[in-house]
Amino acid sequence: MRSSVPALKPTPAVHAKRRSKKLMERLELAAVYVILSITALAFILPFLWLLSGSLKSSSELFANPPIWIPSKPQWSNFTTAFGEFPFLLYLRNTLTIAGFGIVGAVLSNTLIAYGFSRVEWKGRDGVFVLVLATMMLPFQVTMIPLFIMFQKLGWIGTFLPLIVPVFFGNPFFIFLLRQFLIGIPKELSQSAKVDGASEFRIYWQMILPLSLPVVTTVMIFSFIGSWGDFIGPLVFLSDNKLYTLSLGIQQIMSVNDPRWPLLMAIGISMTVPILIIFFVLQKYFIQGIAFSGIKG
């Protein structure tokens, strides 16, 4: 039986309160979009200036006030730069170092992070804190001891000083992976152990496939680090044929004429692959960062 009591209609004051609340929500949302747009613009402006400069002549590049859109795009800057710059050779060297770096980063850091997160052993947390403490040591501090050690091994002038250390772990990658692996239920490992699976089999066939987002994040960071590394190749590489892109780009610079349009053209060529990789893998990258950050 339906109630005969009539429904109460909202009063004008209630309507006004609701409209005010919706207006505030829209204003807050608009403020968020404005702040994000300004921040995005601040990040994208340097890239736009680099793109614009790569298509300018030297006179337009240094014009005052600045010219954003070149009157006549100088596409010849790219052909001239690649004609004087062994881009393919340096690209091959860079991809070789980056490729081995990705393999080493995934194999070593996932295994170490698994030991810090899924395996119980005495002193584990203390050793993990010690590993994190090494993040405070910049490369400049260890550069000379490493150079002396690699020189005695006969590795100076080869790719080995840039590849081999990657297979011994990176404290930041270990931390990132450990935070993700902690969130995976331990019941999965316990069930696998009951079925007779070894610790390594659990890591390789169960935990590693579940860690695809954070592993992808590590791969992206590793590739970016190798792609843009300048100090490492500068210290350990002596043969011009082994130079990477970041080191070889100096060859088209001179004291009297730096030839900035050509440098910007090569800079665009070095930036575009990073952007493509990020946009293709951004789903996994964001998941890896988010899931690693919310697990303790």
Side-chain angles (χ1 to χ4, degrees):
M1 182 176 180
R2 295 183 179 179
S3 174
S4 58
V5 179
L8 296 177
K9 295 183 179 181
T11 63
V14 174
H15 278 299
K17 187 176 181 180
R18 289 179 179 175
R19 287 196 298 269
S20 177
K21 183 178 180 181
K22 289 182 179 179
L23 179 61
M24 289 300 298
E25 291 177 351
R26 290 176 181 175
L27 289 176
E28 291 177 358
L29 185 61
V32 170
Y33 277 113
V34 169
I35 294 174
L36 291 178
S37 300
I38 294 174
T39 305
L41 184 62
F43 277 96
I44 200 174
L45 272 178
F47 176 75
L48 294 178
W49 180 254
L50 182 67
L51 178 60
S52 174
S54 66
L55 299 174
K56 295 178 183 176
S57 61
S58 297
S59 59
E60 284 186 328
L61 184 61
F62 295 101
N64 191 14
I67 300 174
W68 279 92
I69 301 177
S71 58
K72 186 179 180 181
Q74 303 292 320
W75 297 104
S76 59
N77 288 340
F78 288 89
T79 56
T80 303
F82 294 150
E84 300 181 9
F85 182 75
F87 184 82
L88 294 179
L89 174 63
Y90 295 156
L91 176 63
R92 184 188 66 186
N93 296 338
T94 304
L95 291 179
T96 300
I97 296 173
F100 281 106
I102 291 174
V103 173
V106 172
L107 292 180
S108 63
N109 293 292
T110 53
L111 192 58
I112 296 171
Y114 180 85
F116 279 128
S117 60
R118 315 288 298 184
V119 181
E120 298 288 343
W121 47 281
K122 187 176 180 181
R124 183 187 68 177
D125 295 338
V127 175
F128 178 68
V129 172
L130 184 62
V131 170
L132 293 184
T134 62
M135 294 176 64
M136 295 185 293
L137 291 174
F139 176 72
Q140 290 78 2
V141 174
T142 59
M143 180 172 59
I144 295 177
L146 285 175
F147 182 87
I148 295 174
M149 181 179 69
F150 292 142
Q151 188 180 41
K152 291 183 177 179
L153 291 173
W155 290 0
I156 300 299
T158 69
F159 290 150
L160 293 178
L162 302 173
I163 293 176
V164 174
V166 180
F167 286 82
F168 289 87
N170 179 291
F172 174 70
F173 294 160
I174 294 171
F175 169 76
L176 199 65
L177 288 160
R178 175 186 177 274
Q179 296 303 105
F180 185 92
L181 296 182
I182 284 177
I184 299 178
K186 291 187 176 181
E187 288 77 12
L188 294 175
S189 301
Q190 294 172 355
S191 300
K193 289 179 180 179
V194 171
D195 293 337
S198 63
E199 203 73 64
F200 183 80
R201 185 178 180 184
I202 295 172
Y203 152 76
W204 186 256
Q205 295 184 352
M206 182 179 294
I207 302 301
L208 200 57
L210 292 175
S211 306
L212 180 60
V214 70
V215 169
T216 304
T217 303
V218 168
M219 292 171 64
I220 294 175
F221 277 131
S222 176
F223 179 82
I224 293 175
S226 299
W227 184 264
D229 186 19
F230 176 77
I231 297 180
L234 178 64
V235 173
F236 300 122
L237 299 181
S238 55
D239 188 352
N240 181 52
K241 295 181 180 180
L242 298 179
Y243 281 2
T244 59
L245 285 171
S246 59
L247 185 58
I249 197 174
Q250 287 188 113
Q251 292 194 333
I252 65 172
M253 296 182 66
S254 63
V255 177
N256 298 323
D257 182 17
R259 310 176 73 181
W260 294 110
L262 303 187
L263 290 174
M264 289 185 170
I266 296 177
I268 285 292
S269 303
M270 292 184 62
T271 305
V272 169
I274 298 295
L275 295 178
I276 294 175
I277 290 174
F278 174 77
F279 284 115
V280 170
L281 302 176
Q282 63 174 326
K283 173 184 175 182
Y284 300 104
F285 178 78
I286 295 173
Q287 287 181 354
I289 293 294
F291 293 161
S292 299
I294 62 177
K295 293 180 174 67

